[in-house]
Amino acid sequence: MRAEGARSRGNPYPTVVELARRARAMVAERPGTLRLRTVGTSRAGRPLWLLSAGHGEHQILTVAGAHANEPVGGASSLTLAEDFVRDPRVLDELGCTWHFLLCLDPDGTTLGERRFAEHPASAPTLDGYYRGFYRPAFISQPEFPPVDTDPHTAMPESRALTRLIDELRPVVQFSLHGVEVGGSFLQLTRPIPGAPRAFRSVAAELGIPLEYRPFDGMGWFVDSPGVLVLPDGSPADERDPSGYTSQATWMYAMRHGTVSAVVEAPFWSVAGVSDPSPVTRPQREISRAAEILLSRAKQLEKVLGALADQPPADERRLPFHTAARELMDIGPGVVDTWNTHDAHGLGDAELATTVGNSVSLGIAARRIPLRAAAMMRSALDEPPEALDTLVRDWSQELETTFVARWVPVHRQTALHIRTMLHLTRQLVSA
């Protein structure tokens, strides 16, 4: 099965069940090349499957499905594993054993698998994507376990991943991500010589725009267009509005000398994010984005009324409500971060100084309330008609305002795969 394996049911990506089924079939066909085992279970008892290929000295780890709304990583993992089956000499030449954690968050991903159900996979739309959207609240994202001083207990998925990192001590850990609208970018926990050029070359060949100055990871050093590097190689904590403090598993792996590479692939690309043209009045662009974010949050609150603070009686809908409520409350904090961002020492990439970054900012300002509205729609037993209208109108406005174009899944996975192979070759031959 290539990346298009689930299209017959309206989903262009393999589901959690299909990932495991296909992995088992691949192992049965090539037991000498591939192995499959579980490395833990999710909170709901779903297995965390690790598919391994090759027998080389260098351990490579790919983590897919860290975020429930980003299913492309599983498709990329299966596709690369199939490539290894067809030509195992690649692993022999690299001297690698390549491990694929097929889905780090199977519970969350399963909740979001309705995202394409209302539209044919041959022509996905943002409206269809958001009507099934789910991304857990920050505290429930397994790639971000709590720091030792935080009172919260790490999720079993997080503990399984850190155990796996301790076991493998990989040369590199790839974390495969996807963004619904925008461009691609790469985050590295330490510089890799030649990596920025190779990554930009891959994106250009595939016709995928780069986020010229990505503001995701605003505290990271902008090495060059589309590439962020952890400023000094030291771990950094993240804190959400509730006070929950975490440290990404990308940082955890640094204790073993592992470099982590986070690869983002857009589902719908926006050419404007790559525009390097300077902006005359950056603060005006920030203010405009802030006004969109805050006004739409207020509009959503008004549409919901008392429903905004009433958790659903059906516990299966509660994760949607929790995540939506979090997004509805973060607007002021996000705007404050935008207004106080200091890029001194971070590549001097101030916010909204390029057209591309202003476009990225405008997308984010619309995406946050749209995600909240979409998940609140799923949380409510009888969502108001006005809420359904918001999801439809905001989805269509996001698509048309930025001329968002669907990126075929085979190009999304090619970006992941070719980037991973380029970086692995550079690291194991160094």
Side-chain angles (χ1 to χ4, degrees):
M1 180 185 72
R2 303 297 285 182
E4 298 87 351
R7 283 190 173 176
S8 62
R9 285 182 293 283
N11 189 340
Y13 305 99
T15 64
V16 171
V17 170
E18 289 165 336
L19 285 171
R21 178 186 58 78
R22 183 54 190 154
R24 285 193 293 268
M26 291 168 63
V27 171
E29 293 170 5
R30 295 293 180 92
T33 301
L34 299 175
R35 288 90 59 202
L36 185 67
R37 63 182 170 111
T38 60
V39 293
T41 56
S42 70
R43 287 155 292 167
R46 292 183 173 90
L48 303 178
W49 292 105
L50 187 75
L51 179 66
S52 301
H55 302 277
E57 174 187 0
H58 302 296
Q59 306 297 311
I60 311 297
L61 175 61
T62 291
V63 179
H67 289 148
N69 63 308
E70 302 173 10
V72 62
S76 300
S77 297
L78 285 185
T79 302
L80 182 53
E82 287 184 333
D83 289 345
F84 289 151
V85 167
R86 281 190 295 272
D87 188 4
R89 292 174 300 175
V90 175
L91 288 172
D92 294 337
E93 292 168 1
L94 292 171
C96 288
T97 302
W98 205 302
H99 308 271
F100 302 94
L101 185 56
L102 295 177
C103 187
L104 178 60
D105 185 12
D107 296 349
T109 301
T110 299
L111 283 176
E113 285 176 347
R114 300 178 299 111
R115 65 177 67 83
F116 292 103
E118 298 185 34
H119 291 267
S122 58
T125 67
L126 277 173
D127 182 32
Y129 172 84
Y130 279 110
R131 285 177 183 279
F133 183 88
Y134 175 67
R135 182 186 177 103
F138 187 72
I139 198 171
S140 297
Q141 296 178 17
E143 203 168 38
F144 295 93
V147 296
D148 292 340
T149 55
D150 188 277
H152 293 89
T153 302
M155 297 164 58
E157 299 92 331
S158 304
R159 295 196 299 271
L161 177 53
T162 54
R163 285 197 306 269
L164 183 61
I165 291 170
D166 289 338
E167 173 194 334
L168 299 177
R169 297 173 176 251
V171 175
V172 56
Q173 173 190 207
F174 293 106
S175 184
L176 302 184
H177 290 255
V179 60
E180 52 260 49
V181 179
S184 180
F185 59 94
L186 173 68
Q187 290 177 268
L188 300 170
T189 53
R190 74 164 185 264
I192 301 175
R197 180 180 299 176
F199 173 66
R200 287 193 293 272
S201 176
V202 168
E205 290 169 5
L206 293 170
I208 296 175
L210 291 177
E211 297 270 358
Y212 191 78
R213 284 289 187 265
F215 73 91
D216 281 356
M218 287 171 57
W220 292 53
F221 178 80
V222 180
D223 174 89
S224 53
V227 180
L228 301 171
V229 179
L230 197 65
D232 57 3
S234 60
D237 298 342
E238 293 197 34
R239 183 185 297 268
D240 76 357
S242 74
Y244 172 69
T245 306
S246 68
Q247 186 178 104
T249 50
W250 323 325
M251 315 303 181
Y252 179 88
M254 293 170 65
R255 66 190 61 195
H256 300 301
T258 301
V259 57
S260 291
V262 183
V263 191
E264 295 274 358
F267 304 156
W268 282 266
S269 68
V270 173
V273 299
S274 63
D275 189 341
S277 305
V279 169
T280 304
R281 297 174 60 186
Q283 189 55 49
R284 182 175 62 181
E285 298 298 318
I286 296 173
S287 297
R288 183 179 299 161
E291 194 280 329
I292 290 171
L293 171 57
L294 297 178
S295 65
R296 293 195 177 187
K298 290 179 181 178
Q299 186 179 358
L300 178 56
E301 291 276 6
K302 183 177 180 180
V303 164
L304 291 170
L307 293 173
D309 296 311
Q310 294 178 7
D314 186 343
E315 289 190 359
R316 292 172 297 181
R317 297 177 183 267
L318 185 57
F320 291 91
H321 186 276
T322 301
R325 185 67 260 182
E326 179 179 82
L327 290 182
M328 291 171 66
D329 293 335
I330 66 172
V334 170
V335 169
D336 182 63
T337 300
W338 290 348
N339 284 320
T340 60
H341 176 58
D342 181 4
H344 179 71
L346 298 176
D348 295 326
E350 293 288 358
L351 205 60
T353 55
T354 67
V355 171
N357 186 254
S358 297
V359 170
S360 298
L361 199 64
I363 291 171
R366 292 164 172 83
R367 183 177 63 203
I368 292 171
L370 175 52
R371 286 177 170 183
M375 289 192 287
M376 196 60 81
R377 175 182 176 274
S378 295
L380 300 176
D381 295 323
E382 296 183 9
E385 183 177 345
L387 179 58
D388 189 72
T389 300
L390 276 189
V391 174
R392 183 190 66 239
D393 290 352
W394 286 354
S395 297
Q396 292 175 352
E397 190 258 356
L398 181 61
E399 191 164 359
T400 57
T401 297
F402 297 101
V403 196
R405 304 295 188 196
W406 173 252
V407 179
V409 175
H410 69 88
R411 284 169 54 204
Q412 298 175 35
T413 60
L415 179 73
H416 280 161
I417 290 167
R418 291 169 62 181
T419 299
M420 288 192 290
L421 289 173
H422 272 296
L423 269 58
T424 299
R425 288 190 178 99
Q426 288 163 297
L427 286 166
V428 300
S429 63

